Amino acid sequence: TGAFNVKNLGADNSPNNNEAYKLNQPLTAEMGTEEGKRYSYASVADSNVVLETIKKAENGEGTVLRMYESENSYTRTKLTINAEFEKACICNLLEEVQSEATVEGNVIDLVLKPYEVVTVLIK
């Protein structure tokens, strides 16, 4: 399946990203929250940062969240985790710890360069 959306071409391509996700990854629903209430395990504060992956760490110790910047913009954002965790680390794509992240409560402060992929490991 393919589609091309020409109405929003330009520097801000987030509407096109959203349409692409709707086309390629249909919405699925699962039981688990109260009826009428929304729940998200994690979310980012800026729409140009796409939270692409949430998965168990390859070594089984923690959860990996992978995101990328989608609009060629240097971005300071906040990653909110709706679960308890002890610490958060910035990792490379092989999930090797590079540095400890700044955490306040359940919010992780992040900086993404244009089109950068960032991997966060929480334990």
Side-chain angles (χ1 to χ4, degrees):
T1 300
F4 185 66
N5 180 356
V6 296
K7 69 177 181 176
N8 290 317
L9 292 179
D12 177 14
N13 66 357
S14 60
N16 289 325
N17 284 346
N18 293 339
E19 293 301 318
Y21 275 98
K22 288 178 193 174
L23 175 67
N24 293 319
Q25 298 184 3
L27 179 65
T28 58
E30 293 185 24
M31 298 294 290
T33 59
E34 293 180 37
E35 188 174 339
K37 293 201 176 188
R38 300 176 85 189
Y39 173 81
S40 178
Y41 178 79
S43 61
V44 288
D46 293 84
S47 63
N48 63 311
V49 178
V50 179
L51 181 56
E52 178 69 29
T53 303
I54 301 174
K55 69 182 195 81
K56 188 174 185 177
E58 289 296 321
N59 66 7
E61 298 177 13
T63 302
V64 169
L65 299 99
R66 191 164 289 133
M67 65 214 73
Y68 66 93
E69 194 289 318
S70 66
E71 294 179 8
N72 193 26
S73 178
Y74 184 90
T75 304
R76 291 183 183 275
T77 194
K78 296 184 181 300
L79 171 64
T80 302
I81 308 295
N82 293 310
E84 292 185 21
F85 62 96
E86 293 180 20
K87 72 176 188 174
C89 299
I90 306 300
C91 300
N92 61 21
L93 290 174
L94 298 175
E95 300 177 14
E96 299 166 335
V97 174
Q98 304 295 299
S99 63
E100 195 160 323
T102 303
V103 178
E104 190 173 320
N106 66 334
V107 178
I108 304 166
D109 290 323
L110 298 170
V111 175
L112 289 87
K113 297 174 191 161
Y115 301 118
E116 181 180 20
V117 175
V118 171
T119 302
V120 177
L121 171 66
I122 60 171
K123 294 183 179 184

